[in-house]
Amino acid sequence: MICWMASWGSHLGFPLIIILVLVIGEKLLLPKLDSSELDNKERYMTTAEIIRNRGYPLEIHHVVTEDGYILELHRIPSGRNGISANRSRPIFLQHGLLWNDFAWLMNPTNNSLAFILADRGFDVWMGNSRGNSNSRRHVSLDPEKEEYWKFSWDEMGRHDIPACIEYVLDVTEQKKLAAYVGYSLGCTLFFIGAINKPKVNDQVDLMIGLGATSSIAHLDNFYYYLGLFVKPYHFLLRMTCTTVFHSNDSFSSNLLKMFCDSSQFAAELCLHLLFLIFGYSESHYESSLNAILGHYPDGSSVGAAIQFLQNSISGESFNHFDYGCYENLKRYGSCTPAQYNLSLVTAPVYLISGDRDPIAPPKDIMWLASKLGNLKSSIQVDSSFTHGDFIWSTRAMELVYLPLIRLLPMPYLNSSNTTTSSIFPVAMYIFYQWLQNLIPDVKKRTSEDTVSSSYQKTFSRIGKTRRFKLKFKRFAR
């Protein structure tokens, strides 16, 4: 009976008992929500299926870490415009806690970062953290057993990120990534990887952190209150035999989906719950949030979740996992957990933060900026921008992605033997970027036509001669 209760031991677990009562009650009192209001076929697709459904090429790769975890990477080697990856530079995207790489794909195509970068000529690689539905494998450990789930941020950053970067560089035969882009915990893991394995600092041209987390002393959502009881909460999870933390196929997650689909009242309540975590968004795509329950939360270890709560009550610091005094003494030589030295992150770092972000609030971003070894710039979005807005805002393209793109190097490989034919694609790319400013109201587009499609239409209008049209087609190939 005790272990049966483990399925409730997530960050939404016990409140779902109340939701179960509400499900029964509201079904008797309120009309069921029209299924057309919730219908988004991508809710039921894997991320690989979503990429193919949007018309992009896809490669699936698997990376084995030093400690035996098998991680799945999704590669979009070119955009729908057909520019080949064999002359493109790789860029790596890493999601946050309890997410998978759906985070980079959830908006309409012209407002999803992975597709935007692919259409601009980058070779896009997306990571999936150990323990989520895409990366729940190991060379010897069984994910159904407790031993598999004995990891925290420390192991994820020390092993996963260096292994993924090394693999991408090996496959693409390049010395550096054009950029590593992290969201939330995806930034944290890069910092840990760069601190533990200095080589990582030299394997990226730059690192861009969206809503970066390290110190979370100023956390401003209900997790803060849960953090105050992190020790008894951790004890409760151990007593209930909880191993995986809120898997997308868990009993509590399925119950939540059933409730959210049951009526308009329930759907609004679930949206409210999501905004309690990520902050209240003033602009979002309904279709994106309708699809989100099929992909978030997607599971992680108890250790990863507990380390988040531990850091929320440890003051302005960035700490290793706290095992308790006895184990800390053996691991760190002190009763308290060791702190990460962020000055050892020497890769060029750009931070982009939101002014209303409850998980990475401005005070914590300022602290992080003061500790990094090679901070180039810290940019704050001042439009009531929340943690969730980085991935689902209708204004993400305007406020985050375009500024991010301006920070990136050229997507094409440089050649020491520069010829007219090798200069032409680069020149066309510059023209491509210039045309971006001529296309009005990018932020208002919600159709599935990509920005690159709009570029092609613009090229078509400008290209009065047959010669220009032929050159553009040759470049697109």
Side-chain angles (χ1 to χ4, degrees), residues 14 395 432:
F14 291 104
R395 303 185 67 192
Y432 224 56

Side-chain angles (χ1 to χ4, degrees), residues 258-277:
M258 180 179 72
F259 172 70
C260 294
D261 286 351
S262 61
S263 71
Q264 184 64 48
F265 164 77
E268 291 176 0
L269 186 61
C270 290
L271 185 63
H272 179 73
L273 179 61
L274 188 68
F275 287 166
L276 279 176
I277 299 172

Side-chain angles (χ1 to χ4, degrees), residues 80-108:
R80 293 199 297 194
N81 52 29
I83 299 174
S84 174
N86 61 13
R87 65 182 187 219
S88 300
R89 298 196 62 197
I91 190 167
F92 192 86
L93 310 180
Q94 182 64 37
H95 60 77
L97 182 63
L98 297 176
W99 281 96
N100 58 41
D101 56 349
F102 174 71
W104 307 110
L105 313 168
M106 63 188 299
N107 276 351

Side-chain angles (χ1 to χ4, degrees), residues 139-207:
V139 294
S140 60
L141 300 178
D142 183 354
E144 299 298 322
K145 304 295 183 181
E146 180 182 4
E147 193 67 25
Y148 172 91
W149 297 98
K150 289 184 177 180
F151 63 83
S152 64
W153 297 358
D154 300 338
E155 291 76 23
M156 296 166 73
R158 185 185 311 125
H159 300 301
D160 295 5
I161 299 306
C164 289
I165 292 176
E166 192 72 41
Y167 180 87
V168 172
L169 296 180
D170 285 346
V171 171
T172 58
E173 298 181 343
Q174 298 191 39
K175 294 181 179 180
K176 287 188 176 185
L177 298 177
Y180 175 105
V181 181
Y183 168 59
S184 194
L185 185 68
C187 306
T188 315
L189 301 183
F190 178 86
F191 299 148
I192 294 174
I195 291 169
N196 280 280
K197 299 189 176 181
K199 181 181 178 181
V200 169
N201 291 291
D202 299 321
Q203 292 179 314
V204 299
D205 270 357
L206 66 154
M207 183 272 180

Side-chain angles (χ1 to χ4, degrees), residues 319-329 331-339:
N319 298 336
H320 289 248
F321 189 86
D322 186 354
Y323 293 91
C325 185
Y326 178 74
E327 186 65 22
N328 287 346
L329 282 169
R331 289 174 178 263
Y332 314 127
S334 66
C335 199
T336 56
Q339 294 190 17

Side-chain angles (χ1 to χ4, degrees), residues 10-194:
S10 66
H11 72 296
L12 297 175
F14 291 104
L16 287 176
I17 299 174
I18 300 174
I19 288 179
L20 180 60
V21 176
L22 288 173
V23 168
I24 299 172
E26 62 87 24
K27 278 183 175 293
L28 299 176
L29 299 175
L30 298 171
K32 184 172 176 62
L33 188 65
D34 187 340
S35 60
S36 63
E37 297 182 51
L38 291 172
D39 187 30
N40 185 330
K41 59 184 179 181
E42 291 186 353
R43 177 174 176 177
Y44 309 101
M45 292 180 178
T46 64
T47 51
E49 290 170 339
I50 291 171
I51 293 168
R52 293 191 180 105
N53 184 61
R54 300 280 187 101
Y56 287 81
L58 170 70
E59 294 178 11
I60 299 176
H61 296 255
H62 293 96
V63 179
V64 180
T65 66
E66 289 178 338
D67 54 348
Y69 286 81
I70 302 173
L71 312 178
E72 184 165 298
L73 307 185
H74 293 150
R75 181 190 191 187
I76 307 177
S78 65
R80 293 199 297 194
N81 52 29
I83 299 174
S84 174
N86 61 13
R87 65 182 187 219
S88 300
R89 298 196 62 197
I91 190 167
F92 192 86
L93 310 180
Q94 182 64 37
H95 60 77
L97 182 63
L98 297 176
W99 281 96
N100 58 41
D101 56 349
F102 174 71
W104 307 110
L105 313 168
M106 63 188 299
N107 276 351
T109 303
N110 65 341
N111 210 8
S112 293
L113 184 58
F115 297 131
I116 292 169
L117 293 173
D119 283 334
R120 278 166 170 74
F122 288 98
D123 180 8
V124 179
W125 293 75
M126 294 177 288
N128 282 285
S129 292
R130 62 175 69 188
N132 76 20
S133 59
N134 293 321
S135 297
R136 198 167 294 175
R137 296 170 59 194
H138 194 278
V139 294
S140 60
L141 300 178
D142 183 354
E144 299 298 322
K145 304 295 183 181
E146 180 182 4
E147 193 67 25
Y148 172 91
W149 297 98
K150 289 184 177 180
F151 63 83
S152 64
W153 297 358
D154 300 338
E155 291 76 23
M156 296 166 73
R158 185 185 311 125
H159 300 301
D160 295 5
I161 299 306
C164 289
I165 292 176
E166 192 72 41
Y167 180 87
V168 172
L169 296 180
D170 285 346
V171 171
T172 58
E173 298 181 343
Q174 298 191 39
K175 294 181 179 180
K176 287 188 176 185
L177 298 177
Y180 175 105
V181 181
Y183 168 59
S184 194
L185 185 68
C187 306
T188 315
L189 301 183
F190 178 86
F191 299 148
I192 294 174

Side-chain angles (χ1 to χ4, degrees), residues 243-263:
T243 53
V244 56
F245 191 80
H246 216 304
S247 177
N248 196 256
D249 58 358
S250 67
F251 176 74
S252 58
S253 182
N254 288 328
L255 178 60
L256 182 64
K257 294 173 189 176
M258 180 179 72
F259 172 70
C260 294
D261 286 351
S262 61
S263 71

